[in-house]
Amino acid sequence: MQKDEIVKKVKIALRSSSKNTDILEEINDIVTECLEELKRKGIEVNLDDPLVLKACKSYAKANYGFEEDSDKYQISYESIIKDLLLSPSYEPVKQVEENHG
């Protein structure tokens, strides 16, 4: 799956039918933020992984247009991250230390 396909699926999950390019750009930004945060937390991002898609949907709902339930979606997102980090089928991204000497 490509990132633009994830953006389309997240847009549907947000119940957005807007064709406004600013809104589409904002949804794209939210997906990018989520993917980068997953990487930063040590999760190797595979765009074909349904759990990565689920994380993107939960992250988007927590941070875009679902103010009443944003806490619920944030908890869901954090739960997905914990599951990914604790799962033996996921290997954390190896952090490369920079040599400043």
Side-chain angles (χ1 to χ4, degrees):
M1 183 176 326
Q2 300 293 318
K3 183 181 167 210
D4 60 329
E5 292 174 278
I6 291 177
V7 171
K8 287 179 189 176
K9 291 179 182 274
V10 169
K11 181 181 177 236
I12 291 167
L14 292 172
R15 311 294 189 254
S16 175
S17 60
S18 177
K19 304 242 188 264
N20 182 315
T21 56
D22 290 337
I23 290 174
L24 295 175
E25 187 175 317
E26 184 174 3
I27 294 170
N28 183 65
D29 289 347
I30 287 171
V31 169
T32 300
E33 290 167 14
C34 177
L35 295 174
E36 289 303 313
E37 185 169 318
L38 291 173
K39 289 177 191 174
R40 185 177 57 79
K41 291 185 181 278
I43 297 168
E44 188 169 338
V45 173
N46 174 354
L47 297 181
D48 292 321
D49 188 331
L51 289 178
V52 169
L53 175 61
K54 185 176 179 180
C56 287
K57 289 177 180 179
S58 293
Y59 183 89
K61 288 181 178 182
N63 293 285
Y64 179 88
F66 282 79
E67 287 83 18
E68 285 182 21
D69 294 326
S70 65
D71 289 343
K72 175 177 83 171
Y73 290 115
Q74 184 64 33
I75 291 168
S76 173
Y77 170 71
E78 291 170 7
S79 176
I80 295 165
I81 288 175
K82 286 178 188 172
D83 288 345
L84 289 169
L85 289 171
L86 294 174
S87 173
S89 62
Y90 286 90
E91 292 198 26
V93 173
K94 293 182 173 92
Q95 300 295 327
V96 177
E97 291 184 30
E98 293 183 31
N99 185 354
H100 296 290

Coordinates of all heavy atoms in Angstrom, one line a residue, residues 54-55 57-59 62 69-83:
K54 N -4.4 1.1 11.2 CA -5.3 1.3 12.4 C -4.7 2.4 13.3 O -5.4 3.2 13.8 CB -5.4 0.0 13.2 CG -6.4 0.1 14.4 CD -6.5 -1.3 15.0 CE -7.4 -1.2 16.2 NZ -7.6 -2.5 16.8
A55 N -3.4 2.4 13.4 CA -2.7 3.4 14.2 C -2.9 4.8 13.6 O -3.2 5.8 14.3 CB -1.2 3.2 14.4
K57 N -5.4 5.7 11.7 CA -6.8 6.1 11.8 C -7.1 6.6 13.2 O -7.7 7.7 13.4 CB -7.7 4.9 11.5 CG -7.8 4.6 10.0 CD -8.7 3.4 9.8 CE -8.8 3.0 8.4 NZ -9.7 1.8 8.2
S58 N -6.6 5.9 14.2 CA -6.8 6.4 15.6 C -6.1 7.7 15.9 O -6.6 8.6 16.5 CB -6.3 5.3 16.6 OG -7.1 4.1 16.5
Y59 N -4.9 7.8 15.4 CA -4.1 9.1 15.6 C -4.9 10.2 14.9 O -5.0 11.3 15.5 CB -2.7 8.9 14.9 CG -1.8 10.1 15.1 CD1 -1.0 10.2 16.3 CD2 -1.8 11.1 14.2 CE1 -0.2 11.3 16.4 CE2 -1.0 12.2 14.4 CZ -0.2 12.3 15.5 OH 0.6 13.4 15.7
A62 N -7.9 11.2 16.9 CA -7.5 11.8 18.2 C -7.1 13.3 17.9 O -7.2 14.1 18.8 CB -6.4 11.1 18.9
D69 N -14.5 12.8 21.4 CA -13.9 11.4 21.6 C -12.4 11.4 21.5 O -11.8 10.3 21.4 CB -14.5 10.4 20.7 CG -16.0 10.2 21.0 OD1 -16.4 10.3 22.2 OD2 -16.8 9.9 20.0
S70 N -11.7 12.5 21.4 CA -10.3 12.6 21.1 C -9.5 11.8 22.2 O -8.5 11.1 21.8 CB -9.7 14.0 21.0 OG -9.8 14.7 22.2
D71 N -9.9 11.8 23.4 CA -9.2 11.1 24.5 C -9.3 9.6 24.2 O -8.3 8.9 24.4 CB -9.7 11.4 25.9 CG -9.3 12.8 26.3 OD1 -8.4 13.4 25.7 OD2 -10.0 13.3 27.3
K72 N -10.5 9.1 23.9 CA -10.7 7.7 23.6 C -9.8 7.3 22.4 O -9.2 6.2 22.5 CB -12.2 7.5 23.2 CG -12.5 6.1 22.8 CD -14.0 5.9 22.5 CE -14.3 6.4 21.1 NZ -15.7 6.1 20.7
Y73 N -9.7 8.0 21.4 CA -8.9 7.7 20.2 C -7.4 7.8 20.5 O -6.6 7.0 20.0 CB -9.2 8.5 19.0 CG -10.6 8.1 18.5 CD1 -11.7 9.0 18.5 CD2 -10.9 6.9 17.9 CE1 -12.9 8.7 18.0 CE2 -12.1 6.5 17.5 CZ -13.1 7.4 17.5 OH -14.4 7.1 17.0
Q74 N -7.0 8.7 21.4 CA -5.6 8.8 21.8 C -5.2 7.5 22.6 O -4.1 7.0 22.4 CB -5.3 10.1 22.6 CG -3.9 10.3 23.0 CD -3.0 10.5 21.8 OE1 -3.4 11.1 20.8 NE2 -1.8 10.0 21.9
I75 N -6.1 7.1 23.5 CA -5.8 5.9 24.3 C -5.7 4.7 23.3 O -4.9 3.8 23.5 CB -6.9 5.7 25.3 CG1 -6.8 6.8 26.4 CG2 -6.9 4.3 25.9 CD1 -7.9 6.9 27.4
S76 N -6.6 4.6 22.3 CA -6.6 3.6 21.3 C -5.2 3.6 20.6 O -4.6 2.5 20.4 CB -7.7 3.7 20.4 OG -7.6 2.8 19.3
Y77 N -4.8 4.7 20.2 CA -3.6 4.9 19.4 C -2.4 4.4 20.3 O -1.5 3.6 19.9 CB -3.4 6.3 19.0 CG -2.0 6.6 18.5 CD1 -1.6 6.2 17.2 CD2 -1.1 7.4 19.2 CE1 -0.3 6.5 16.7 CE2 0.2 7.7 18.7 CZ 0.5 7.2 17.5 OH 1.8 7.5 17.0
E78 N -2.3 4.8 21.5 CA -1.3 4.4 22.4 C -1.3 2.9 22.7 O -0.2 2.3 22.9 CB -1.4 5.2 23.7 CG -1.0 6.7 23.5 CD -1.3 7.6 24.7 OE1 -1.7 7.1 25.8 OE2 -1.2 8.8 24.5
S79 N -2.5 2.3 22.8 CA -2.6 0.9 23.0 C -2.1 0.1 21.8 O -1.4 -0.9 21.9 CB -4.1 0.5 23.2 OG -4.3 -0.8 23.3
I80 N -2.3 0.6 20.6 CA -1.8 0.0 19.4 C -0.2 0.1 19.4 O 0.4 -0.9 19.1 CB -2.3 0.7 18.1 CG1 -3.8 0.5 18.0 CG2 -1.6 0.2 16.8 CD1 -4.5 1.4 17.0
I81 N 0.3 1.2 19.8 CA 1.8 1.3 19.9 C 2.3 0.3 20.9 O 3.3 -0.4 20.6 CB 2.2 2.8 20.3 CG1 1.9 3.7 19.1 CG2 3.6 2.8 20.7 CD1 2.2 5.2 19.5
K82 N 1.7 0.2 22.0 CA 2.2 -0.8 23.0 C 2.1 -2.2 22.4 O 3.1 -3.0 22.6 CB 1.3 -0.7 24.3 CG 1.6 0.5 25.1 CD 0.8 0.6 26.3 CE 0.9 1.9 27.0 NZ 0.0 2.1 28.1
D83 N 1.0 -2.5 21.8 CA 0.9 -3.8 21.2 C 2.0 -4.1 20.1 O 2.6 -5.2 20.1 CB -0.5 -4.0 20.5 CG -1.6 -4.1 21.5 OD1 -1.3 -4.4 22.7 OD2 -2.8 -4.0 21.0

